[in-house]
Amino acid sequence: MGDATADAAAPLRALLMGVSRFAPAVAEDEEPMPGQGWDDLPFVLPVLARLEQAYQKLAYEVRAVREPDRRAVRQHWTAVDEEQYGIVHVVSHGTTAVAGRGRTAEGSERLSMVPSCGNPGFGTDVSLWVQEANSLAHPVLFVVDLCRAGRAARVAQLAQIPDDQLHAWVIAATGPDRAAYDGAFSTAVAEVLEEMADNGLDTSPSLRFVRWDKVTSSIQNRLSATGSRQKVHSTKVDTSQPLELPFFPNPNWTGDPRLERLQTVDAPVRAFVADLGAEHFMDRVRDHFVGRRRQLAHLAPWLDDATIGGLRVVTGAPGSGKSALLGALVCTGHEEIIRAAPDIRRHLAAQQPDGVASPNPMLAAIHARNRELDAVLTSLAAQWGLPARGAGRTEPWTVPDLIEAIVALPAVPVLVFDALDEADDPADLMQRLLLPLTEALRPDGRPCLRLLVGTRRGTRFQPLLELAAAQQTLLDLDDVPDGELRADLAEHLSLRLAELPSYSAAPQRPVRTALARTVAAKLTRNAGTVRDWGPFLVARIFGRALETLPAPADVAAAEHLGASVPVTLPGVLELDLSLQPQRARLRAVLAAVAWAKGEGFPTEAVAAVAAEFDPDVNDGNVRQLLEANRFYLRTGVESDGSTLYRLFHQGLADYLQVESYLRPYTPTHPRPDSSGGPE
């Protein structure tokens, strides 16, 4: 927000002021004036102590002022600028009255904190503090636990200031004309701060601060869970433009500018990075794309050839590597990804220079998982920078509009369209968008674009598959020479094993070579099995199981272990699950994530669904299981900053949704044993 986060490394300081006892303001025989005669608040000091510890857990330097009189309140408020307090949290009585005057003098925004002397007045008006704080050089958050606290959150003078220019923010205990009770609000704030210090409210590691709407909704949820009728009032923000305010540091933050840049890439494009396994490219080498050299060498020059258009379709079994292949092309050619993560292109270019697409400003990419036509059209128009039809266009794009716009472009654009089979309505997208795109021509008679589509086989997609087959542009990844597929699989496994401590030493080279070769041979032995279950997916999960199994002692044991690899996705998944601690809970968590749509489920949704499968699952162990089993997961970011989880491959989701995923593992073959024989 503007300059609010510019000095994120500065010390965090919080000022807490709380009053529990109030001096009598008048003699016993006198009539009290408005705002006089305040009841004591015995809950304040215990709540203040808890708040002090909670803010400290978030790395705040805390100044806690107990029982301040009016002079002390005024002095500490006027020191906010000099002391650079980022948070001011007050707990006391609140009053709208002006001493010695009637209710007509109150004003609609006035709200004073009652000091211990019982005489609010000059220097205690919290609403005025908020107005003054907006002129400070640093942003200030006011956490206001007073009756009628909502008045401080609705200061008219600040209502029209844009979010990114505002420097005074408020979270208030209750509405402008409502009471606050028994410190329930501050207790809820303390609980949220404690959870925030523990898990960041599950905020994505790419975000430095926990987002505003996540914090305010969490406080309200805590209040509601206790049966309180209080409704939190806070500074209104435009949640369609996520704002990182510098008040609540995220303990999950990795400080990785690369991840932060990737989060700025449009979601339908960013998904290609995830499917390539390249979000954490620098520290997850074992998950990197390898192989498919012939296909890359064929497709990359075609994507670059600006003189032609036409259609190419890549198909194959689940786990055959369709998305990784298309991901490698998009990550090397799409300029937004190159800007955010140039290391991906450098790595792939070093592996195979002739299989790398050239950077192309007219290359658009759509990952269709859980997306529908309107969202796809909007993203394409934005990626190609298509001009709006008329000033102030607000109506949605249509396919005829899109085609009319792209045929008028000076150069033939490129579209890589993956996961058609995972779209909200795949047949609709094919019939209404993809097929019309293949038929549209430019004024010179050339096709309107170069279109590369990735999809599974299926009767729903026959028109597209048959069109590509008729044009001899259908690339079936299951229909490649056995020797080529075997070599690609062996290379994939060899690189994976070389990263494992038990296989990485020099004397282990013959062992990992023999193991990779044997597994590759087993997985390519039966063409029918290859067409049912992609061998790359099976090999990848078997590599995960090898992390747990003891490494073979010699080449013969390696060959025996390699020959035991299950050749189906269910078989290899059940093998790996049987080797994992808390396997029943892990199965329940993965089964829950299998039902995630779009970018995924947040942690609380995973916990809620998983508990239906296994009652022993709760928020705490779900977080542990998600963290320990990142291998199976891809992550996204919700609009409120929460981390979202989905399975890394749709084939896994399909299996876990359909099968009886809670049954215990009963192997149909001996469990692999690296010693050379069955257990």
Side-chain angles (χ1 to χ4, degrees):
M1 58 162 291
D3 58 357
T5 58
D7 193 17
L12 301 169
R13 294 190 174 94
L15 171 65
L16 278 57
M17 292 191 285
V19 183
S20 67
R21 300 188 309 274
F22 302 87
V26 297
E28 292 184 5
D29 58 348
E30 291 183 10
E31 186 73 20
M33 298 293 290
Q36 294 176 323
W38 304 102
D39 293 333
D40 287 347
L41 303 174
F43 60 82
V44 168
L45 295 186
V47 165
L48 208 65
R50 184 173 182 181
L51 285 169
E52 184 174 6
Q53 293 180 352
Y55 280 113
Q56 287 172 343
K57 288 179 180 178
L58 272 184
Y60 270 88
E61 298 176 6
V62 180
R63 176 70 181 272
V65 182
R66 293 166 173 82
E67 316 293 7
D69 59 14
R70 187 171 67 184
R71 181 180 179 183
V73 169
R74 183 171 64 250
Q75 286 178 336
H76 284 96
W77 158 243
T78 55
V80 165
D81 187 18
E82 180 182 346
E83 298 294 335
Q84 295 286 295
Y85 289 121
I87 293 181
V88 177
H89 190 140
V90 294
V91 191
S92 182
H93 283 296
T95 182
T96 61
V98 180
R101 280 177 276 180
R103 295 186 61 86
T104 55
E106 291 184 4
S108 62
E109 294 179 354
R110 181 181 176 82
L111 174 68
S112 288
M113 171 189 177
V114 179
S116 61
C117 61
N119 286 316
F122 180 69
T124 65
D125 188 339
V126 178
S127 296
L128 187 57
W129 295 355
V130 175
Q131 293 182 47
E132 293 173 345
N134 191 58
S135 65
L136 297 178
H138 68 284
V140 181
L141 168 64
F142 295 88
V143 186
V144 186
D145 195 355
L146 310 172
C147 289
R148 303 175 182 83
R151 294 185 173 215
R154 301 290 186 264
V155 177
Q157 181 179 327
L158 308 182
Q160 302 305 316
I161 297 177
D163 292 351
D164 61 351
Q165 299 298 314
L166 197 60
H167 271 206
W169 299 79
V170 179
I171 304 176
T174 189
D177 297 301
R178 299 284 182 176
Y181 298 97
D182 300 326
F185 168 75
S186 285
T187 299
V189 170
E191 291 174 353
V192 169
L193 293 174
E194 290 161 356
E195 183 179 355
M196 197 184 302
D198 181 47
N199 58 46
L201 301 184
D202 300 313
T203 296
S204 167
S206 65
L207 301 178
R208 182 176 300 189
F209 299 99
V210 181
R211 283 190 173 153
W212 177 259
D213 48 334
K214 182 69 171 180
V215 176
T216 55
S217 63
S218 296
I219 295 170
Q220 181 62 67
N221 291 340
R222 294 278 180 163
L223 266 176
S224 301
T226 66
S228 173
R229 292 177 294 174
Q230 287 179 221
K231 299 297 182 184
V232 173
H233 280 54
S234 61
T235 305
K236 291 183 178 180
V237 300
D238 180 3
T239 56
S240 68
Q241 304 294 326
L243 196 63
E244 280 191 86
L245 297 170
F247 302 126
F248 304 106
N250 176 19
N252 300 327
W253 181 55
T254 60
D256 183 350
R258 182 181 182 278
L259 277 179
E260 295 175 24
R261 291 195 303 269
L262 281 171
Q263 287 305 317
T264 67
V265 177
D266 194 29
V269 180
R270 190 172 64 245
F272 286 89
V273 182
D275 275 359
L276 189 61
E279 303 105 319
H280 304 273
F281 206 74
M282 301 305 291
D283 60 358
R284 288 173 59 188
V285 176
R286 64 189 183 200
D287 288 346
H288 293 172
F289 174 81
V290 295
R292 300 300 188 187
R293 294 179 180 274
R294 182 168 61 88
Q295 292 81 7
L296 284 172
H298 166 70
L299 290 172
W302 176 76
L303 288 177
D304 286 352
D305 191 345
T307 65
I308 60 173
L311 171 70
R312 298 285 188 277
V313 176
V314 178
T315 190
S320 59
K322 299 183 297 297
S323 290
L325 174 63
L326 269 60
L329 294 167
V330 170
C331 288
T332 57
H334 199 287
E335 290 194 336
E336 279 297 289
I337 295 178
I338 296 171
R339 171 192 60 80
D343 54 290
I344 302 177
R345 190 174 198 282
R346 288 195 297 267
H347 178 89
L348 294 173
Q351 280 190 324
Q352 188 184 0
D354 59 351
V356 171
S358 301
N360 186 349
M362 294 309 296
L363 189 156
I366 294 290
H367 196 290
R369 181 194 301 116
N370 297 132
R371 294 188 169 90
E372 40 75 38
L373 180 60
D374 286 347
V376 169
L377 293 174
T378 300
S379 179
L380 287 177
Q383 290 185 59
W384 280 323
L386 299 180
R389 293 172 60 85
R393 174 190 178 117
T394 58
E395 68 272 16
W397 281 87
T398 66
V399 173
D401 287 345
L402 183 80
I403 291 175
E404 181 181 349
I406 63 177
V407 298
L409 292 171
V412 177
V414 183
L415 171 56
V416 180
F417 195 100
D418 192 24
L420 171 61
D421 51 288
E422 299 176 36
D424 273 354
D425 190 341
D428 181 68
L429 269 175
M430 180 188 69
Q431 293 289 349
R432 295 177 60 193
L433 175 64
L434 298 182
L435 290 177
L437 284 173
T438 66
E439 298 166 356
L441 300 176
R442 294 170 60 84
D444 60 7
R446 287 182 295 166
C448 74
L449 82 171
R450 293 188 293 287
L451 174 62
L452 175 59
V453 180
T455 183
R456 296 186 193 181
R457 291 179 291 270
T459 56
R460 293 179 297 175
F461 313 118
Q462 279 306 112
L464 188 69
L465 295 170
E466 289 175 356
L467 179 61
Q471 297 176 358
Q472 297 185 330
T473 59
L474 178 64
L475 182 59
D476 189 340
L477 296 184
D478 300 333
D479 187 22
V480 298
D482 290 345
E484 179 183 322
L485 181 58
R486 194 174 299 121
D488 285 349
L489 280 169
E491 180 186 11
H492 169 81
L493 280 166
S494 293
L495 288 172
R496 180 80 184 270
L497 291 171
E499 293 297 316
L500 301 181
S502 56
Y503 288 89
S504 60
Q508 286 293 87
R509 176 178 288 274
V511 169
R512 61 179 185 258
T513 299
L515 180 55
R517 185 184 64 242
T518 307
V519 170
K522 175 79 175 287
L523 293 180
T524 56
R525 190 170 299 160
N526 186 310
T529 301
V530 167
R531 292 185 71 84
D532 291 333
W533 307 104
F536 279 96
L537 179 58
V538 174
R540 184 173 181 181
I541 298 176
F542 189 61
R544 148 91 168 192
L546 293 175
E547 295 180 20
T548 304
L549 292 167
D554 52 39
V555 168
E559 292 174 341
H560 179 86
L561 177 60
S564 73
V565 60
V567 295
T568 67
L569 173 63
V572 74
L573 177 62
E574 297 298 344
L575 166 64
D576 183 55
L577 293 181
S578 75
L579 299 172
Q580 303 304 320
Q582 303 188 70
R583 63 197 66 166
R585 292 175 180 171
L586 174 58
R587 178 185 288 277
V589 167
L590 294 181
V593 178
W595 292 97
K597 298 296 183 183
E599 290 287 288
F601 275 166
T603 302
E604 56 266 29
V606 176
V609 177
E612 296 294 318
F613 301 145
D614 185 338
D616 289 335
V617 173
N618 56 52
D619 284 357
N621 52 42
V622 160
R623 288 189 178 89
Q624 294 172 357
L625 289 164
L626 290 171
E627 183 60 33
N629 293 278
R630 287 293 185 107
F631 168 84
Y632 282 109
L633 304 171
R634 290 286 180 260
T635 58
V637 183
E638 181 63 283
S639 59
D640 68 356
S642 301
T643 300
L644 299 174
Y645 297 94
R646 65 182 187 277
L647 296 180
F648 80 81
H649 199 281
Q650 186 61 35
L652 290 171
D654 294 343
Y655 169 67
L656 287 167
Q657 286 181 13
V658 173
E659 292 297 311
S660 177
Y661 37 71
L662 294 184
R663 58 181 169 77
Y665 172 59
T666 52
T668 56
H669 54 78
R671 188 167 165 177
D673 174 25
S674 60
S675 66
E679 289 181 328

